[in-house]
Amino acid sequence: MSSKPELKPGRNEPCWCGSGKKYKNCHLRQDEDEARASVPILPTPPAKSIAPFTPPELPKPREPSPEELAEEAEWDQFENADLDGKIAFFLERLENRRLDKEYAFEAYLQIRDESSPRHDATARARLTELIERLRRDMPEVYKDSAVYLEDLITFAVTEERWDALPEWLAEFAEIADKHPDEFSSVTKMMLYHGQTQPLLAAMQSAWHNVSTSKDILEWGVNEYYGTMLELALYQYLETTATPRADAPGLLETINAFGGKPNPEWLTTAVKHLSAPAPSSWRAEDFGATVDAETWEHNVHALLFDWMAEERRRAAMRVPFSKSDLFKEELQGILHQQISEREPAPKGKHGKSKRVIASMVASPLIPRRDHFERTLVDKFDLFGSEPYEAGALIELLPSYLHFLARLHLIHPTEMDDALTSIKPLTGNTLKLLDSHGADVHLLRAVESAWSDATLNSLRDDPALVSARAMPVVIPSTTPAIAEAQTYRFKVSYRHTDDVWFIVETSSKHSLDDLHDAIIDVADFDDDHLHAFFLSGRAWDKETEYGHGEARYSSAISIGKLQLRMKQRFLYLFDFGDQHEFDVQLIETRPEPPRETRTRPRVLEQHGKLPPQYPDWDDESEDEDDWEEEDDEASAH
């Protein structure tokens, strides 16, 4: 919300709070009351005082004009009217051209909120008529907000009028760079429903404006490019009998976007998404002894196998674009789980309850706490993601069933996970409904977690023999558990070819590693810093730092339970945000060859940028200032 300005806006100007209402219809009266209340009440002067006490004059509000009073009365009448009265007001002002952008938007939202169009076909028809009238009679008002077009698309999806989407999406593409948030919401809706062809055409049409926009951040452009790349791939796979990663037609389409896709990702995706059956996976392929890079690659390939299986199933035929929404979210959860070190209360014989529980839990199963936290994050006040949340919870049962059929988890592990997650579905459905998910998504989630569906998964004849087998307890001991020497490659994220090698002992702490990094960088140790084992900045669950950080960076490196080749983030200076990727590249069972109290730097390549880039050109002036300060202190 915007802060109150020193100078009040005019009565008919937008309110300072950012509500979109006119000032007179929002905070005018409240501000006037506050102004009157802020006048100090002076004490009555003593009786012997010679000067008489004159109370200060209260500020007099400006008298509204007759036109303003009439307009305010009309708006009060609108707000007090029933739904039919509100619609009649909207149409009457539209017909008389007395509907400006602000009034149109505010009136439409009130009418929509009272109509419940996602669950009422009549309401959708009436709202569609209002939008079409606005679009025809006052196009400049219609084009001011993307909400009208977004609603037309949502209504078409609700009614499964897929043939109407190309026209609406093409129109949206013309304003995608000006309304990126609304276009992103529509994009996720299209991905969930598998509308890849019209969506890709619209995104290609808008690509130039989006990629050159000064109002869209770099990460937003990269995300847009990644979505186009995946759409082109999925459309190719869904329309080609014998797909190949090096097919000229596919590469020509991808190259038209600019940029260079990761060839390893493309090869892996085509191989697994087009395979007639899943690969021959073993539980050991995802165990604690697998290095971090191999583990990430295996999970990526396994989820592509699952996506292909979902599309092969005759009953569902889940499109790649929908299952990809699930894949992206689940990958984040699983990565978080192997990155997070969770303290726990002690059980009997001094053993951690968390450790005991994790001994029978596969790393491929999302734990309830991580799963719930991810769902909650999708309903942020400033930008909800109902389709990502919906796909995640809807497709989880089929994913767990897939793991059980491949003997990657025991059927009882599937049962326990389903029992653990099911209580979350009630609140999730309420959140999905309140954040605009369409009825098809709501029904799909209800169906996926119905007793009938879950019982069919548990009673699958293909799992009978597996249920008779004992549960295998996976090893939770990392391959490097006994290492005493660690070597890390530290790379500066924002500059190519700048990296160095640091050697530590298992007894050195992350604080010691921090000291070594800023020594190489030649930074002053005068700012906050933190390590994030998940590799994502501000991830509180894997943050090692000081103050409010969940874990202390005084922890010894040997107690972090790192995997070989694991990457994590070191962030120095929370303002300028100097980011370093840290990767474990080598360990040794013996201690460092030289006895040192601090880590040592073995190699260094490239020159890091200055700590304060904006001050670099003024270094001589800074030296002069320092000399002047020294002279002043001497005197």
Side-chain angles (χ1 to χ4, degrees):
M1 179 178 290
S2 302
S3 60
K4 187 184 299 184
E6 294 182 4
L7 297 177
K8 294 188 295 184
R11 293 172 58 83
N12 290 306
E13 294 178 359
C15 185
W16 54 263
C17 72
S19 66
K21 298 182 180 180
K22 290 186 178 181
Y23 181 49
K24 66 183 180 184
N25 294 326
C26 197
H27 275 83
L28 172 61
R29 294 176 181 173
Q30 179 180 331
D31 289 348
E32 290 177 346
D33 291 341
E34 290 178 358
R36 295 187 185 94
S38 65
V39 176
I41 301 176
L42 301 179
T44 303
K48 296 181 180 180
S49 176
I50 299 174
F53 173 70
T54 304
E57 291 187 11
L58 295 176
K60 295 180 179 180
R62 182 179 67 85
E63 290 295 330
S65 67
E67 293 79 8
E68 290 173 337
L69 289 173
E71 189 174 352
E72 186 172 348
E74 282 191 37
W75 185 255
D76 290 341
Q77 183 180 358
F78 168 82
E79 291 188 316
N80 294 324
D82 59 14
L83 180 59
D84 289 337
K86 284 181 168 63
I87 293 177
F89 173 91
F90 188 97
L91 292 174
E92 185 273 330
R93 297 200 69 153
L94 176 60
E95 184 176 350
N96 295 324
R97 300 295 192 274
R98 295 179 56 230
L99 201 62
D100 61 19
K101 298 173 182 178
E102 176 195 340
Y103 265 125
F105 181 73
E106 190 170 348
Y108 174 78
L109 290 185
Q110 288 201 28
I111 293 171
R112 187 186 69 177
D113 291 345
E114 292 186 25
S115 301
S116 187
R118 287 181 301 116
H119 303 281
D120 187 338
T122 301
R124 289 194 297 274
R126 299 180 77 178
L127 288 171
T128 299
E129 180 185 358
L130 292 183
I131 296 173
E132 292 289 7
R133 287 279 302 274
L134 185 65
R135 184 186 189 208
R136 183 193 67 196
D137 298 341
M138 300 188 72
E140 71 284 355
V141 174
Y142 165 80
K143 292 179 180 179
D144 182 67
S145 173
V147 168
Y148 310 118
L149 185 52
E150 185 178 2
D151 279 357
L152 288 175
I153 294 173
T154 302
F155 298 161
V157 167
T158 302
E159 297 170 358
E160 298 183 289
R161 291 186 286 109
W162 310 117
D163 57 334
L165 294 178
E167 177 186 351
W168 298 132
L169 290 172
E171 183 178 333
F172 218 142
E174 297 176 3
I175 58 172
D177 58 310
K178 298 179 179 61
H179 301 278
D181 292 338
E182 292 86 350
F183 190 74
S184 177
S185 297
V186 168
T187 296
K188 299 302 171 59
M189 188 193 309
M190 296 299 102
L191 293 174
Y192 177 84
H193 289 287
Q195 297 300 306
T196 57
Q197 188 170 356
L199 177 59
L200 179 58
M203 296 188 75
Q204 286 176 296
S205 175
W207 172 235
H208 174 74
N209 290 341
V210 169
S211 61
T212 58
S213 173
K214 296 181 180 179
D215 298 325
I216 302 178
L217 299 177
E218 182 180 359
W219 68 263
V221 175
N222 292 337
E223 182 180 90
Y224 189 102
Y225 169 81
T227 301
M228 283 200 305
L229 183 64
E230 291 171 347
L231 284 173
L233 173 61
Y234 297 153
Q235 188 170 310
Y236 167 74
L237 292 172
E238 291 171 350
T239 57
T240 306
T242 55
R244 293 170 24 220
D246 60 349
L250 173 62
L251 297 179
E252 182 179 350
T253 301
I254 291 175
N255 291 336
F257 306 152
K260 294 181 179 179
N262 185 326
E264 181 182 355
W265 169 83
L266 188 60
T267 300
T268 301
V270 173
K271 173 185 175 182
H272 290 270
L273 290 174
S274 62
S279 301
S280 300
W281 296 105
R282 303 173 305 155
E284 292 80 3
D285 295 327
F286 309 93
T289 59
V290 178
D291 70 70
E293 287 186 352
T294 302
W295 192 90
E296 295 282 358
H297 173 81
N298 289 350
V299 168
H300 209 61
L302 173 68
L303 288 174
F304 278 139
D305 278 343
W306 168 79
M307 290 171 63
E309 187 82 349
E310 285 296 282
R311 191 168 185 276
R312 279 192 295 266
R313 292 171 62 187
M316 294 183 64
R317 300 286 293 178
V318 177
F320 287 143
S321 59
K322 175 179 177 177
S323 56
D324 184 77
L325 291 175
F326 173 87
K327 176 180 73 71
E328 292 298 318
E329 299 300 331
L330 184 70
Q331 280 182 168
I333 294 174
L334 299 184
H335 175 79
Q336 181 94 5
Q337 288 181 179
I338 69 164
S339 304
E340 182 176 339
R341 175 180 177 271
E342 191 136 352
K346 300 294 183 179
K348 290 183 178 180
H349 310 297
K351 288 189 177 182
S352 165
K353 294 179 182 179
R354 171 66 67 186
V355 171
I356 294 172
S358 66
M359 290 174 65
V360 294
S362 165
L364 297 174
I365 299 176
R367 295 207 313 259
R368 171 170 169 153
D369 55 344
H370 287 89
F371 195 84
E372 184 174 12
R373 191 161 61 231
T374 300
L375 286 177
V376 170
D377 289 345
K378 296 303 166 188
F379 299 105
D380 187 84
L381 177 64
F382 299 103
S384 62
E385 299 176 319
Y387 286 93
E388 290 93 323
L392 177 62
I393 196 163
E394 174 195 342
L395 297 177
L396 180 65
S398 67
Y399 163 74
L400 294 172
H401 182 244
F402 172 77
L403 295 181
R405 286 190 292 110
L406 265 59
H407 306 293
L408 293 176
I409 64 173
H410 195 274
T412 56
E413 291 183 285
M414 177 191 74
D415 300 342
D416 291 343
L418 292 173
T419 301
S420 174
I421 299 296
K422 186 173 182 180
L424 302 178
T425 58
N427 285 335
T428 302
L429 281 167
K430 293 178 182 178
L431 287 170
L432 289 170
D433 192 22
S434 64
H435 284 79
D438 62 73
V439 292
H440 305 296
L441 171 56
L442 300 177
R443 292 168 185 164
V445 172
E446 289 177 336
S447 175
W449 287 92
S450 68
D451 290 340
T453 300
L454 297 185
N455 288 336
S456 69
L457 298 180
R458 296 187 179 105
D459 298 338
D460 184 357
L463 301 182
V464 172
S465 60
R467 286 189 180 278
M469 302 294 291
V471 178
V472 177
I473 300 177
S475 171
T476 59
T477 305
I480 61 172
E482 304 302 323
Q484 295 192 56
T485 299
Y486 290 72
R487 287 185 177 179
F488 297 95
K489 179 179 180 180
V490 183
S491 307
Y492 191 67
R493 276 193 175 181
H494 304 298
T495 304
D496 295 335
D497 301 326
V498 177
W499 54 274
F500 47 94
I501 307 297
V502 179
E503 182 181 83
T504 77
S505 77
S506 60
K507 296 180 181 179
H508 282 134
S509 68
L510 285 176
D511 276 335
D512 294 326
L513 183 58
H514 149 76
D515 290 336
I517 294 174
I518 64 170
D519 281 350
V520 174
D522 196 23
F523 288 172
D524 295 327
D525 192 4
D526 54 357
H527 291 282
L528 295 174
H529 70 275
F531 292 88
F532 300 92
L533 293 196
S534 66
R536 297 194 300 269
W538 318 120
D539 175 18
K540 294 299 182 184
E541 304 304 323
T542 64
E543 178 184 5
Y544 286 78
H546 302 283
E548 296 182 356
R550 183 170 183 179
Y551 305 119
S552 169
S553 57
I555 186 174
S556 63
I557 290 172
K559 293 182 178 180
L560 289 176
Q561 300 180 351
L562 297 173
R563 291 174 182 252
M564 181 61 69
K565 297 185 180 181
Q566 182 170 340
R567 297 176 185 269
F568 52 95
L569 169 66
Y570 166 69
L571 177 62
F572 177 77
D573 188 344
F574 292 177
D576 288 334
Q577 289 192 219
H578 291 283
E579 297 180 344
F580 296 81
D581 282 313
V582 184
Q583 183 180 28
L584 177 61
I585 59 172
E586 184 181 350
T587 62
R588 293 177 181 175
E590 64 274 1
R593 293 170 184 162
E594 299 182 26
T595 302
R596 293 178 179 268
T597 58
R598 301 181 63 185
R600 63 181 182 135
V601 178
L602 303 180
E603 297 181 45
Q604 185 174 349
H605 299 264
K607 183 179 180 181
L608 280 99
Q611 181 175 358
Y612 306 105
D614 295 339
W615 294 6
D616 191 37
D617 296 336
E618 303 174 1
S619 57
E620 295 182 2
D621 295 336
E622 291 177 12
D623 294 338
D624 293 339
W625 295 339
E626 291 176 0
E627 292 176 3
E628 291 174 2
D629 290 340
D630 292 339
E631 292 176 2
S633 61
H635 289 293

